[in-house]
Amino acid sequence: MRPHTDELRVASFADLDSSTLYALLRLRSEVFVVEQECAYLDIDGRDTEPATRHIWIAQAGTPIAYLRVLGEPDGGMRIGRVVVAKVARGAGVAGRLMEAALAVVGARPSVLDAQAHLADFYARFGYKISGDGFVEDGIPHVPMARPA
């Protein structure tokens, strides 16, 4: 087993330099827009909110996995935009991202909208399906929640 040669990073929007922001948005576009063929406005204004934390894993300086943690009006947190580059899938990076996200979430309740085929993955971190499934951009999703 090779040691981790990648770097886990956490930053607010204000702490992101332009090159890093560009690389993170590119990764999101490569997977969500190109690979999954979802034409939607990924840049939704929430990336810049003061409570948002961007969490990513970079390999040789290039992001290979990313998610963001958002503050919700009810005081809870929302995990979203979870993405892993195709070349990094199956290496455990999504699990490392979720562990880092839960460290940011702390004792607060949190929610996420999971692609339905990934519900068991999120269940490993204490999330349970919390409502009816729905289809977003042609992909089945389920809302999931994790209590405080």
Side-chain angles (χ1 to χ4, degrees), residues 79-98:
I79 295 174
R81 300 294 199 266
V82 182
V83 61
V84 177
K86 191 181 281 190
V87 299
R89 292 181 193 151
V93 293
R96 289 181 58 211
L97 277 179
M98 284 301 296

Side-chain angles (χ1 to χ4, degrees), residues 26-37:
R26 180 182 174 113
L27 175 61
R28 285 170 29 179
S29 291
E30 285 173 349
V31 174
F32 297 135
V33 178
V34 176
E35 182 183 333
Q36 295 181 352
E37 299 177 348

Side-chain angles (χ1 to χ4, degrees), residues 8-9 14 20 22 24 33 35-36 42 44 48 55 64 76 105 109-110 119 140:
L8 177 72
R9 303 277 313 273
T20 300
Y22 179 87
L24 295 174
V33 178
E35 182 183 333
Q36 295 181 352
D42 176 51
D44 60 2
T48 63
I55 303 173
I64 58 167
V105 167
S110 60

Side-chain angles (χ1 to χ4, degrees), residues 23-139:
L24 295 174
L25 294 175
R26 180 182 174 113
L27 175 61
R28 285 170 29 179
S29 291
E30 285 173 349
V31 174
F32 297 135
V33 178
V34 176
E35 182 183 333
Q36 295 181 352
E37 299 177 348
C38 298
Y40 71 101
L41 189 59
D42 176 51
I43 301 173
D44 60 2
R46 301 224 48 204
D47 291 315
T48 63
E49 293 175 1
T52 299
R53 290 297 169 265
H54 301 273
I55 303 173
W56 70 99
I57 295 174
Q59 207 167 60
T62 300
I64 58 167
Y66 167 90
L67 64 71
R68 69 182 183 183
V69 178
L70 306 168
E72 293 289 89
D74 65 2
M77 306 298 281
R78 173 173 292 278
I79 295 174
R81 300 294 199 266
V82 182
V83 61
V84 177
K86 191 181 281 190
V87 299
R89 292 181 193 151
V93 293
R96 289 181 58 211
L97 277 179
M98 284 301 296
E99 290 167 2
L102 293 177
V104 170
V105 167
R108 295 170 286 207
S110 60
V111 297
L112 55 83
D113 292 330
Q115 290 185 4
H117 72 279
L118 295 172
D120 288 342
F121 168 76
Y122 292 110
R124 293 189 342 220
F125 299 95
Y127 287 88
K128 294 183 180 359
I129 294 175
S130 59
D132 294 333
F134 59 95
V135 176
E136 185 174 287
D137 292 312
I139 300 172

